[in-house]
Amino acid sequence: MMQKTLEIERFLAVRNAMSKGFVFTIPGEPKAKARPRVTRSGIAFTPKETVNYENLVKLAFQTNFPDHVPLDCELKALVTAYFSIPKSTSKKKLGGMERGDIRPLKKPDLDNIAKIILDSLNGIAYKDDSQITRLEVYKFYSHSPRVEVSLTFYSE
């Protein structure tokens, strides 16, 4: 009986969270998923910077949703990357960057930003990132660099 009550409570908690969505922020400059490197002896490895950022993404999610059980349903992901405004920016351009009129046209590419975030959440937020059936990714400038992620149920 106690086990059934815990399952029902967990189900209701997940349903409540998903009605609002799982929203969390990864602090710092957005990073891209780097390609695996291969040593001279033919051994492939993931670059340290990629591993560190993947761990930061996992930590950000788990800090906000400590008792979360990976979902097994269709999901929509919204990833918004905010890059630092360059120090050499003129006052004229600064206003446009702050309003979102001027957007980052620099690397990393949108697809690689999304890839590192979604791959990092495999087995933590959801069972597999193949469950993401809709994806929106945006790049903006900000005085506080970060990546904001939102996961919600998706049904058309």
Side-chain angles (χ1 to χ4, degrees):
M1 183 69 167
M2 181 74 130
Q3 179 67 23
K4 188 135 185 124
T5 304
L6 288 173
E7 287 176 17
I8 292 170
E9 285 177 7
R10 180 173 281 157
F11 169 77
L12 292 174
V14 168
R15 189 177 74 179
N16 183 41
M18 284 306 286
S19 67
K20 299 171 193 157
F22 290 99
V23 179
F24 66 101
T25 301
I26 302 142
E29 203 68 36
K31 304 275 188 232
K33 177 98 176 190
R35 296 188 182 275
R37 305 287 183 230
V38 181
T39 63
R40 291 180 187 166
S41 58
I43 298 170
F45 68 95
T46 303
K48 190 174 186 176
E49 188 173 305
T50 296
V51 172
N52 290 342
Y53 195 72
E54 286 175 336
N55 289 335
L56 180 62
V57 172
K58 292 174 188 177
L59 180 64
F61 183 84
Q62 291 172 325
T63 300
N64 285 284
F65 309 101
D67 297 325
H68 180 72
V69 175
L71 299 170
D72 190 13
C73 59
E74 198 171 334
L75 298 167
K76 172 185 174 182
L78 170 63
V79 178
T80 309
Y82 294 91
F83 291 85
S84 296
I85 296 174
K87 291 183 187 225
S88 61
T89 303
S90 68
K91 287 187 179 183
K92 182 180 177 182
K93 283 188 176 181
L94 179 65
M97 290 176 172
E98 291 172 336
R99 286 188 307 276
D101 297 337
I102 299 174
R103 308 279 283 279
L105 300 177
K106 62 180 189 172
K107 290 190 179 265
D109 299 341
L110 287 175
D111 57 333
N112 290 324
I113 294 169
K115 183 157 182 57
I116 197 166
I117 303 292
L118 300 180
D119 284 354
S120 299
L121 297 173
N122 273 337
I124 295 172
Y126 38 76
K127 291 191 177 183
D128 189 78
D129 59 355
S130 64
Q131 294 167 235
I132 306 292
T133 57
R134 182 171 181 152
L135 173 63
E136 294 181 38
V137 188
Y138 300 95
K139 287 168 56 173
F140 291 98
Y141 282 111
S142 174
H143 291 288
S144 58
R146 66 197 181 280
V147 177
E148 294 176 355
V149 181
S150 171
L151 298 171
T152 54
F153 282 123
Y154 181 68
S155 60
E156 287 189 283

